[in-house]
Amino acid sequence: MSSRAVFDLDRVRSRFNRAADAYDRHAAVQQEIGRRLDERFGWLKLDPERILDLGAGTGQMVRAMRSRYPRASVVGMDLAENMLRHLPRERWWSRRRLAVAADMHALPFVGGSMDVVVSNFALQWSDRPEALFAEVARVLAASGVFSFTTLGPDSLQEIRRAWAEVDVAPHVHQFLDMHDLGDALVGAMLADPVMDRETVIVTYPTVDALLADLRGVGVGNAQRGRAAGMTGARTWRRFREALAGQAVDGQIPLTYEIVYGLAWGTGVSPLMHGVEHGQREMPGPAGPAVGE
C-alpha cells in the first residue's frame, strides 16, 4: 500500500469545493449507495449518542443518521468547506450546523468520543488507509461501530482503458482491494471486520454525459505524479474516441466496484499512547466550523 501515489489534498479540496453546489445533481450513484449503507444499520442494535459522518459531502448520511437515530448528535466532517454549507442545520430554527472542515487523517476529536463513524464514498481519497483507520479507532468508543463504503480496484475501468490507449501517464487512481482494507482495519486495532462488495454499472448515451457526472462529483486526477500542464487537444480527442468505442448498444458503461466495510471499536488504537479512555467531550474543531 505504501507504493501508491500520494494525493495532492489541496487539489482534492479545490475540486470538491468547486463541485459543491452542483454535486447532488450528478451524484445518483453516491446517493443510491448511501441509501444501501443506511439500510445496513437496520441490522445493528445501536443507540448512539454521537455520530461522525466522515467525508460528509453535502450531508446525505448526516440526514440518514439523524432520521434513524433522532436522539443522537451527528457531526459532518469534510475536507471541502463548501460541501459542508449544504449540511442540514442542527435544528430547524437554528442557523448552527454541526460541521467541521478537516483532513480525515487527523480527526479533531478526543479519543472515544464517537459511538458511530460512518463514511460513504470518501475513503477512496485516502492513500494512507492505515493512518485513517488508526484515527477512526482512536475516536471510536469501545463497542462503537465503523461502517463505510469505498471504491474497489475494478472501478472506472472504462476510463482507465481509454486513457491507456493514448497516454502512459497515470490518470485514474489505484483503488484498494477489499482484502487490503480488511487487513488495514485489523492493523488499526478495530475488531471483527466484515467486508463485502458489489458491482454497479451505470450507462450513458454520450461521452459528454458521462464526463459531466464525474466532474460534477469532483472526480479528477489528484495524484502528485500526474503529468504537468493541460492535456493536448489531440490526446483528449483520442481519449474521448476510446471511451466512446466501449459503447454497447449505443450506451457507454461506467463500472463502480463498491466495497462495504464494517468493524467495531475496541477502545484502543495504534495512536492512543497515553490517551485516557472514556473521554466523551468533543472539543472545538481543528479546521473551520461551518455555522451558516
Side-chain angles (χ1 to χ4, degrees):
M1 282 184 277
S2 60
S3 63
R4 298 171 67 238
V6 175
F7 289 120
D8 180 343
L9 290 184
D10 287 339
R11 188 175 179 88
V12 173
R13 176 174 170 267
S14 177
R15 283 185 175 275
F16 279 100
N17 272 331
R18 290 199 304 269
D21 290 343
Y23 181 89
D24 288 340
R25 296 200 299 271
H26 297 278
V29 175
Q30 289 80 355
Q31 290 164 358
E32 174 57 30
I33 300 307
R35 285 190 285 271
R36 297 180 190 184
L37 177 59
D38 174 49
E39 288 174 357
R40 290 175 174 234
F41 279 87
W43 307 344
L44 305 173
K45 293 183 178 180
L46 301 173
D47 186 20
E49 295 180 15
R50 295 178 177 87
I51 300 173
L52 173 62
D53 180 3
L54 191 61
T58 56
Q60 179 189 8
M61 298 310 297
V62 169
R63 294 177 177 87
M65 293 293 99
R66 285 187 182 176
S67 176
R68 184 173 291 277
Y69 306 112
R71 295 189 297 177
S73 177
V74 185
V75 181
M77 199 196 90
D78 201 277
L79 184 66
E81 64 274 12
N82 287 354
M83 286 284 185
L84 296 173
R85 299 184 191 281
H86 294 269
L87 263 60
R89 295 175 179 179
E90 186 180 13
R91 299 288 185 270
W92 68 266
W93 41 263
S94 171
R95 299 180 67 184
R96 182 170 182 251
R97 292 177 172 87
L98 288 180
V100 176
D103 181 354
M104 58 187 169
H105 301 91
L107 301 179
F109 308 102
V110 298
S113 59
M114 298 295 172
D115 301 303
V116 171
V117 177
V118 63
S119 183
N120 182 47
F121 261 78
L123 271 59
Q124 65 268 19
W125 293 103
S126 171
D127 48 25
R128 293 179 288 137
E130 301 93 339
L132 189 158
F133 291 163
E135 276 288 271
V136 170
R138 181 184 64 79
V139 303
L140 196 61
S143 300
V145 67
F146 175 36
S147 185
F148 64 87
T149 68
T150 188
L151 296 181
D154 286 343
S155 298
L156 309 186
Q157 57 186 263
E158 296 83 3
I159 304 290
R160 198 184 308 275
R161 282 198 296 265
W163 275 120
E165 290 189 26
V166 302
D167 190 0
V168 297
H171 288 268
V172 182
H173 306 156
Q174 296 295 321
F175 305 115
L176 283 181
D177 181 88
M178 71 174 184
H179 302 292
D180 291 330
L181 289 167
D183 289 344
L185 290 169
V186 172
M189 301 182 181
L190 292 160
D192 301 324
V194 178
M195 309 293 299
D196 64 291
R197 60 173 296 281
E198 65 176 331
T199 299
V200 174
I201 299 176
V202 184
T203 58
Y204 293 89
T206 66
V207 169
D208 285 337
L210 186 156
L211 295 178
D213 267 3
L214 290 180
R215 291 192 186 109
V217 295
V219 171
N221 188 358
Q223 298 174 106
R224 291 189 183 277
R226 68 188 182 278
M230 297 184 65
T231 302
R234 182 172 179 271
T235 300
W236 182 246
R237 182 177 66 254
R238 290 175 61 205
F239 162 72
R240 289 173 57 91
E241 290 170 352
L243 190 55
Q246 299 180 61
V248 178
D249 296 330
Q251 296 287 312
I252 305 168
L254 187 62
T255 300
Y256 292 87
E257 181 187 359
I258 309 299
V259 175
Y260 296 87
L262 183 143
W264 297 88
T266 59
V268 295
S269 159
L271 302 174
M272 293 185 71
H273 304 296
V275 175
E276 181 181 355
H277 294 188
Q279 288 180 292
R280 301 295 293 171
E281 301 84 3
M282 291 198 299
V290 179
E292 301 182 12

